[in-house]
Amino acid sequence: MTAGAVPAARAAVVEGVLERITYANEENGYTVARVDTGRGGGDLLTVVGSLLGAQVGESLRMEGRWGSHPQYGKQFTVENYTTVLPATIQGIRRYLGSGLIKGIGPVMADRITTHFGVDTLDIIETEPKRLVEVPGLGPKRTKMIAAAWEEQKAIKEVMVFLQGVGVSPSIAVRIYKKYGDSSISVVKNEPYRLAADVWGIGFLTADRIAQSVGIPHDSPERVKAGLQYALSQSTDQGNCYLPEERLIADAVKLLQVDTGLVIDCLGELAGEEEGVVRETVPGPKGEQDVTAVYLVPFHRAELSLSAQLLRLLRTTEDRMPGFRDVAWDKALSWLAGRTGAELAPEQESAVRLALTRKVAVLTGGPGCGKSFTVRSIVELARAKKAKVVLAAPTGRAAKRLAELTGAEASTVHRLLELKPGGDAAYDKERPLDADLVVVDEASMLDLLLANKLVKAVAPGAHLLFVGDVDQLPSVGAGEVLRDMLAEESPIPAVRLTRIFRQAQESGVVTNAHRINSGVPPITQGLSDFFLFVEDETEDAGRLTVDVAARRIPAKFGLDPRRDVQVLAPMHRGPAGAGNLNGLLQQAITPSRPDVPEKRFGGRVFRVGDKVTQIRNNYEKGQNGVFNGTVGVVTALDADEQRLTVLTDEDEEIPYEFDELDELAHAYAVTIHRSQGSEYPAVVIPVTTGAWMMLQRNLLYTAVTRAKKLVVLVGSRKALGQAVRTVSAGKRCTALDFRLAGGRASTPGSTSGSPSGTPSGNFDRSFE
């Protein structure tokens, strides 16, 4: 249904119980719902408008206008609404049984209303201890219901206050959880705190609230918050800093204030402890120096990461001294006997590098033998009784690393035992007990996580970064792998370039290298790489769903939920991940009477849904749940208002219903979010609707996520654009510059094996 109603001139007020939500768009709040106005005969009124946050079962008082839709007939357009407590037994039963109050489901709501009748809500409000009179309700549950009722009341107060400035109820809940009884005071007096303290509230929302409570447009508080917001937005786009001139221009445009005021406030911020840091750094590619402006955590992390890498590289300590004077012929011969294959010369260089240098990088594309090289390094290290620790940024990548090496591997977050607030259990003072640390999918490491990891590596331990530098850079700020491989970097590296014969037989591998070289992929005559041509973006979106949900499972016997992943260049649009998720959910996990579901905002969650976490939450699970973690909904309890997700790391994570904005469906994900993961089959919509996003490293990353099968759906024009277009350039980072500053005192080879060939007797562990 669409918003095609022609509103009448007269304003009106309608009261009724929200029976069901037919459609909800969570981005703009537009909702189509059915309301019982008590007219009898089972007739329900269609209402449309911004109702996002209203819960099924609530009694609503809606202000708006009557109108008529040419297709759907009479309907009421809501301009404003408030919730009111129901007055009839039926309304009270429906209200309590809607899942609004934790601990009360439909069965218990029926028992309570049967016992107390129309006095039910008064009893819960004024004499909650009397709930123990209801069969099946003990003191513990009674106490829980009373507490949930009080919290609901307090949240409603905050919601009513925020409704005037367009803040969604889900954000009101988060504000209340953060500040409790101080919520309204903070919102009135310190609105810009919200942007820093409450996930989901950015500067723009805080600014709207600030203006509504009377904070002046040219207030220094507003300008400083705007400058920090502009920098924060820039880090979300991958930059560690912004050049000062660009930051000032961005802030003037955002805030619509005088340039002089912005310059003055930036100067004040630079003098504040948690403000910003200004520093002169070289411009990109030898251009003149720029004044870089950093948010404090990113400046600290960049300084720390470069210093720690150079510290590890320079130390004379060595936790694997046995490799200094190895007889490499014997070692490699022993290794070939263990693995059943000889190393190619560049693989051999990488093995020597990792075992003789304290920090090293191994990079290369698919089919070039990175995995076998890593396995070889681990085999040799273990033969020397070295303690080897393996990690990767995502659960899927860690599982793959464990399967490859036969050793335990974990996510970087779990390895470091990150705690609430982001602090790690392991750091410089308490390093990891490891002689060799191998980090796979290192292109995904952002600046903050890389800094935490490198700090936890003990002096003398060997650290090996493994990844494909031609893939997309990390979702978070920085280009750590690329900066370590920069021309002036002192960190030694090997790039594997030879594609092995077995890999050459794979259309997926062949085409990945063609795309990376700027050559269009072969799309005919291959058994594992296909192009379904569809020029119109909307038609391509529908065909993508059909291919993923029906055609691939039918032809290849793959499970559409577990084995097939749709990877979209962007979130929005007819062939974007957002729209495709809705269509794929209908096709793969449709609504059924026997399958529990929960509507939250514009999404419906069902048992069996494939979902992903969309923010770092250090409070959840054993060691936090992180942005990009994927899982399946395994349980949904309406009474307890809880949903359970089994993650890729085989951990069961509970989500309260008011936390569901941390989850999104994952039948389709953006290519950026797929980094570090690997799937048997991927389906990639490549359409002109995503024109600005179509770049070579984006398509290359998507194709290299597939183990067995790639299906492109879209137009040849869009595919050509993606293959031709090279990424706009380097992010604003100075890690490469900082690393190069240590080069004079730390000579090192940038590629190949370390200088000189180790010699001497190799002990009997390899004979």
Side-chain angles (χ1 to χ4, degrees):
M1 201 178 287
T2 57
V6 182
R10 64 190 177 92
V13 175
V14 170
E15 291 194 6
V17 177
L18 183 59
E19 288 291 325
R20 68 173 176 271
I21 294 172
T22 310
Y23 168 80
N25 183 321
E26 68 178 307
E27 289 182 3
N28 60 21
Y30 180 76
T31 304
V32 179
R34 302 279 279 163
V35 169
D36 183 354
T37 58
R39 290 177 296 184
D43 288 344
L44 297 177
L45 169 67
T46 297
V47 298
V48 300
S50 184
L51 278 170
L52 206 58
Q55 302 286 331
V56 170
E58 285 188 314
S59 294
L60 307 180
R61 187 176 189 275
M62 298 166 285
E63 298 171 9
R65 298 176 186 276
W66 288 101
S68 181
H69 190 282
Q71 183 177 350
Y72 301 107
K74 185 179 180 182
Q75 60 184 32
F76 188 75
T77 299
V78 181
E79 293 168 355
N80 205 348
Y81 82 91
T82 54
T83 57
V84 293
L85 294 177
T88 67
I89 290 179
Q90 183 184 359
I92 293 168
R93 182 184 295 124
R94 186 88 171 83
Y95 177 66
L96 286 180
S98 66
L100 198 68
I101 306 300
K102 191 169 183 178
I104 305 180
V107 174
M108 192 52 69
D110 187 49
R111 282 190 205 163
I112 295 171
T113 50
T114 299
H115 189 81
F116 293 116
V118 291
D119 297 328
T120 295
L121 299 183
D122 283 337
I123 297 290
I124 297 175
E125 171 76 30
T126 61
E127 299 179 87
K129 289 180 180 175
R130 284 190 59 194
L131 288 170
V132 293
E133 297 172 18
V134 179
L137 266 183
K140 187 178 176 185
R141 202 158 179 199
T142 297
K143 198 173 178 183
M144 186 174 86
I145 290 169
W149 178 263
E150 284 301 314
E151 182 176 86
Q152 199 62 35
K153 265 177 35 189
I155 289 170
K156 289 283 183 198
E157 271 185 56
V158 178
M159 284 182 178
V160 168
F161 177 74
L162 293 175
Q163 202 166 329
V165 289
V167 174
S168 74
S170 63
I171 286 180
V173 170
R174 281 205 294 271
I175 290 173
Y176 179 78
K177 281 194 164 184
K178 179 71 180 176
Y179 304 117
D181 294 339
S182 307
S183 297
I184 291 176
S185 170
V186 171
V187 169
K188 279 182 177 175
N189 301 313
E190 304 173 88
Y192 291 108
R193 265 183 71 186
L194 301 174
D197 291 353
V198 183
W199 179 73
I201 296 186
F203 170 79
L204 299 179
T205 301
D207 196 37
R208 197 165 65 237
I209 295 170
Q211 288 179 45
S212 76
V213 298
I215 289 180
H217 185 71
D218 59 355
S219 152
E221 181 191 0
R222 177 174 184 264
V223 177
K224 289 179 188 178
L227 280 162
Q228 289 181 307
Y229 169 72
L231 279 175
S232 176
Q233 286 290 96
S234 174
T235 63
D236 287 347
Q237 291 156 11
N239 297 309
C240 298
Y241 69 81
L242 273 184
E244 187 176 49
E245 288 181 10
R246 186 169 143 196
L247 172 61
I248 291 168
D250 286 355
V252 168
K253 186 177 176 184
L254 168 74
L255 299 165
Q256 297 294 295
V257 294
D258 291 342
T259 304
L261 178 60
V262 171
I263 292 171
D264 289 345
C265 288
L266 180 58
E268 287 179 30
L269 259 184
E272 294 176 10
E273 191 177 338
E274 291 303 319
V276 298
V277 176
R278 289 192 289 196
E279 185 184 5
T280 301
V281 300
K285 294 184 179 173
E287 293 173 25
Q288 64 184 41
D289 291 355
V290 298
T291 301
V293 185
Y294 288 83
L295 288 171
V296 171
F298 293 90
H299 184 257
R300 285 180 184 155
E302 202 173 78
L303 285 176
S304 169
L305 177 58
S306 57
Q308 301 299 337
L309 283 169
L310 293 172
R311 171 183 67 91
L312 291 175
L313 204 58
R314 289 170 177 158
T315 183
T316 54
E317 294 178 55
D318 194 346
R319 292 182 58 141
M320 294 201 296
F323 288 99
R324 286 181 193 159
D325 55 357
V326 164
W328 282 102
D329 323 357
K330 268 189 186 175
L332 296 173
S333 171
W334 174 89
L335 182 66
R338 287 275 294 179
T339 60
E342 299 273 346
L343 290 168
E346 55 188 17
Q347 289 177 309
E348 188 181 315
S349 293
V351 169
R352 294 187 184 205
L353 196 67
L355 296 172
T356 59
R357 299 297 295 269
K358 309 295 171 39
V359 184
V361 177
L362 170 62
T363 188
C368 292
K370 283 199 307 294
S371 296
F372 183 68
T373 306
V374 170
R375 183 185 158 195
S376 300
I377 291 164
V378 171
E379 287 277 4
L380 285 168
R382 281 154 118 200
K384 280 284 197 179
K385 304 291 186 273
K387 290 178 182 171
V388 180
V389 166
L390 307 172
T394 67
R396 280 178 178 245
K399 269 188 178 177
R400 200 169 64 244
L401 186 58
E403 289 162 6
L404 162 76
T405 57
E408 189 180 334
S410 69
T411 62
V412 176
H413 299 96
R414 277 182 183 277
L415 175 68
L416 299 178
E417 293 180 16
L418 290 182
K419 300 172 182 174
D423 292 330
Y426 294 94
D427 55 21
K428 193 174 179 183
E429 278 65 50
R430 188 195 174 199
L432 295 162
D433 182 19
D435 304 319
L436 170 65
V437 179
V438 179
V439 188
D440 201 6
E441 295 289 356
S443 62
M444 290 183 67
L445 283 178
D446 62 39
L447 174 66
L448 299 182
L449 186 58
N451 179 46
K452 286 185 172 74
L453 172 67
V454 175
K455 267 202 290 195
V457 178
H462 293 229
L463 175 59
L464 174 66
F465 295 97
V466 183
D468 185 346
V469 75
D470 294 321
Q471 287 180 23
L472 289 167
S474 57
V475 174
E479 284 189 298
V480 174
L481 185 65
R482 189 174 297 278
D483 284 345
M484 288 193 295
L485 287 165
E487 198 173 327
E488 296 301 312
S489 169
I491 296 173
V494 169
R495 181 167 191 143
L496 303 179
T497 55
R498 173 189 159 192
I499 306 172
F500 287 88
R501 184 172 55 80
Q502 190 178 353
Q504 288 172 358
E505 295 166 8
S506 160
V508 174
V509 171
T510 300
N511 278 333
H513 285 277
R514 287 175 69 92
I515 290 164
N516 202 30
S517 304
V519 179
I522 299 162
T523 56
Q524 291 178 315
L526 297 173
S527 61
D528 60 353
F529 200 104
F530 302 89
L531 170 64
F532 285 59
V533 176
E534 189 59 78
D535 288 335
E536 294 300 320
T537 301
E538 286 194 22
D539 293 337
R542 283 191 288 269
L543 181 54
T544 297
V545 172
D546 189 46
V547 167
R550 191 179 64 80
R551 298 194 193 191
I552 288 177
K555 183 174 175 61
F556 295 95
L558 296 174
D559 182 292
R561 188 184 289 106
R562 187 184 63 243
D563 300 329
V564 183
Q565 184 63 55
V566 173
L567 302 179
M570 57 195 289
H571 183 78
R572 295 174 186 264
N579 185 56
L580 293 178
N581 263 318
L583 297 173
L584 285 160
Q585 185 193 33
Q586 288 172 29
I588 297 169
T589 317
S591 180
R592 295 203 318 263
D594 60 327
V595 175
E597 63 178 47
K598 166 65 181 173
R599 180 176 288 278
F600 186 91
R603 301 182 181 126
V604 180
F605 292 98
R606 300 188 183 111
V607 171
D609 267 339
K610 185 177 185 179
V611 293
T612 182
Q613 174 83 6
I614 58 173
R615 65 171 286 227
N616 287 346
N617 186 335
Y618 297 95
E619 309 282 350
K620 284 199 151 312
Q622 194 180 331
N623 292 114
V625 182
F626 299 94
N627 189 354
T629 300
V630 175
V632 173
V633 178
T634 54
L636 198 156
D637 188 324
D639 285 7
E640 295 298 321
Q641 296 186 44
R642 188 178 294 128
L643 172 153
T644 305
V645 174
L646 180 65
T647 72
D648 272 351
E649 296 176 58
D650 297 323
E651 186 178 7
E652 286 201 330
I653 306 291
Y655 289 81
E656 304 299 318
F657 281 175
D658 61 14
E659 297 177 315
L660 293 182
D661 51 358
E662 295 191 17
L663 288 178
H665 291 101
Y667 300 99
V669 298
T670 59
I671 295 166
H672 277 90
R673 292 190 72 82
S674 74
Q675 288 173 261
S677 294
E678 201 175 63
Y679 316 94
V682 301
V683 184
I684 310 164
V686 186
T687 68
T688 51
W691 193 258
M692 298 304 292
M693 294 294 293
L694 297 176
Q695 294 179 350
R696 187 181 299 168
N697 62 349
L698 189 84
L699 182 60
Y700 173 73
T701 300
V703 168
T704 54
R705 300 306 87 213
K707 285 194 275 193
K708 299 176 182 173
L709 176 69
V710 171
V711 180
L712 307 179
V713 180
S715 69
R716 294 189 188 280
K717 181 180 179 183
L719 179 58
Q721 168 75 0
V723 172
R724 282 192 307 274
T725 307
V726 178
S727 174
K730 192 180 185 303
R731 294 174 167 187
C732 293
T733 84
L735 180 63
D736 53 348
F737 155 67
R738 298 183 198 284
L739 287 171
R743 186 173 172 77
S745 57
T746 313
S749 167
T750 56
S751 66
S753 57
S755 54
T757 304
S759 60
N761 294 323
F762 200 73
D763 71 35
R764 297 187 61 81
S765 58
F766 292 114
E767 291 177 2

